[in-house]
Amino acid sequence: MRPADTWKDYELLDATDGNRLERWGETILIRPDPQVVWKTPKQSPLWAKADAVYHRSNQGGGEWEYKRRLPEKWKISCGEGEDKLTLIVSPTGFKHTGVFPEQAVNWAWYAQKIRTAGRPVKVLNLFGYTGGATLAVRRQVHRLPCGCLQGHRGVGQGQCCGKRPCRPAHPLAGGRLCQVRCPRKTPRHTYDGIIMDPPSYGRGPGGEIWKLEDCIYDLISQCEEVLSDTPLFFAVNSYTTGLSPAVMEYMLKTTLVPRFGGETSCDEIGLPVSATGGVVPCGATAIWEE
């Protein structure tokens, strides 16, 4: 497992009985987590001092119980120096906060891969959600000649340098951040890197049903066609418990390696728990790289 253990403004303080106790900057939140199936004693005294608790509803969804008034949104930082990202935390009615802290380990990998490429890189980020991966990649392609990033229209919850939010159509050096959807047909553009973090379930504009286990292979095969002749990497992330890291790696190995060579890897990603020293699993990532 690869733990996201470099955070300073985020901390998973404790986890038990279906809940996480988290620190987001100076704010303490309790949120449900279906992976936390153990019922060990609570180790942290901060359980009793949480600023807000999310309660699930038997009818689906849920709501926040605020112990004190919180701002609608606030900033936290990830990384240091030129790689520092400023991210916006904003609790939603679906328990999420606008930041997925476990993904920091993937953001660092993308940044390092692009930084050491030694050549111009074009990256396509699908299903961009709140934009953490987009921001991490943008900081690197910005430094490369003819670097280009294309991302999902959901980008906008973070800042690259703390000065202003990154939005779709934000200018890049030699490129642009523009709005694209998952291609139904092979487009004219090709990319050196692809990042995809598809949802477990969804519906299309025509009522089409998207189920990750049924659609992921076709999506990978389709996106293979938009890779350049000399691709750098292809990363697939999933939060679907029924789709193991090894299954995702197998699909990358059988689709990309015969055509481009390279190698594949896979692993769970997770968050270290300060109170116990354990790591809560938070998803899985499979990677192909040159």
Side-chain angles (χ1 to χ4, degrees):
M1 180 179 290
R2 293 184 297 140
D5 55 6
T6 59
W7 280 95
K8 293 183 179 179
D9 285 353
Y10 171 85
E11 184 179 6
L12 180 50
L13 299 164
D14 201 359
T16 187
D17 198 16
N19 286 294
R20 295 185 190 180
L21 176 70
E22 303 170 297
R23 177 179 64 82
W24 299 84
E26 301 299 323
T27 303
I28 306 299
L29 302 180
I30 296 176
R31 296 191 299 157
D33 186 333
Q35 295 279 54
V36 182
V37 298
W38 50 90
K39 298 182 179 181
T40 54
K42 294 178 178 178
Q43 301 291 325
S44 173
L46 295 177
W47 284 100
K49 299 180 179 181
D51 298 303
V53 182
Y54 187 87
H55 299 287
R56 284 195 179 279
S57 168
N58 293 331
Q59 287 74 42
E63 62 180 1
W64 287 96
E65 176 190 1
Y66 291 97
K67 306 294 186 178
R68 70 176 179 90
R69 180 181 293 274
L70 296 179
E72 181 180 348
K73 57 184 65 175
W74 64 94
K75 297 177 183 179
I76 63 172
S77 296
C78 177
E80 296 181 346
E82 293 185 348
D83 291 332
K84 181 178 179 180
L85 303 177
T86 301
L87 304 164
I88 298 173
V89 179
S90 181
T92 71
F94 298 96
K95 87 169 183 176
H96 296 303
T97 62
V99 177
F100 293 82
E102 65 276 3
Q103 287 295 328
V105 69
N106 282 334
W107 303 339
W109 190 92
Y110 305 147
Q112 176 68 14
K113 191 68 178 178
I114 296 169
R115 183 164 51 241
T116 59
R119 60 182 173 94
V121 174
K122 294 172 65 178
V123 178
L124 175 64
N125 183 20
L126 299 170
F127 312 102
Y129 294 121
T130 54
T134 298
L135 300 181
V137 169
R138 180 190 182 277
R139 292 300 299 270
Q140 305 308 318
V141 299
H142 173 79
R143 301 180 180 126
L144 297 172
C146 300
C148 179
L149 169 68
Q150 291 197 346
H152 183 272
R153 66 175 64 234
V155 171
Q157 283 291 92
Q159 295 176 322
C160 296
C161 57
K163 295 180 180 179
R164 59 179 177 177
C166 293
R167 303 289 182 184
H170 192 94
L172 295 177
R176 66 192 187 282
L177 174 61
C178 55
Q179 303 173 3
V180 295
R181 294 290 187 182
C182 294
R184 291 178 180 269
K185 298 180 180 180
T186 303
R188 291 171 295 176
H189 302 290
T190 60
Y191 305 92
D192 304 298
I194 291 179
I195 301 168
M196 65 167 65
D197 194 346
S200 298
Y201 181 85
R203 291 185 180 273
E208 308 95 330
I209 294 177
W210 162 272
K211 189 176 180 181
L212 184 60
E213 298 94 322
D214 297 336
C215 301
I216 184 64
Y217 181 80
D218 288 341
L219 179 60
I220 291 174
S221 299
Q222 197 172 39
C223 289
E224 176 191 357
E225 299 304 316
V226 303
L227 285 170
S228 68
D229 292 335
T230 56
L232 187 63
F233 70 90
F234 193 122
V236 183
N237 191 76
S238 171
Y239 288 92
T240 303
T241 55
L243 192 63
S244 72
V247 169
M248 294 193 296
E249 182 187 9
Y250 189 92
M251 288 186 283
L252 294 181
K253 185 183 294 289
T254 54
T255 54
L256 301 184
V257 172
R259 180 174 177 180
F260 299 108
E263 57 186 22
T264 60
S265 60
C266 67
D267 212 339
E268 289 185 293
I269 58 175
L271 292 167
V273 182
S274 299
T276 64
V279 179
V280 173
C282 301
T285 303
I287 291 172
W288 172 89
E289 57 184 310
E290 66 171 0

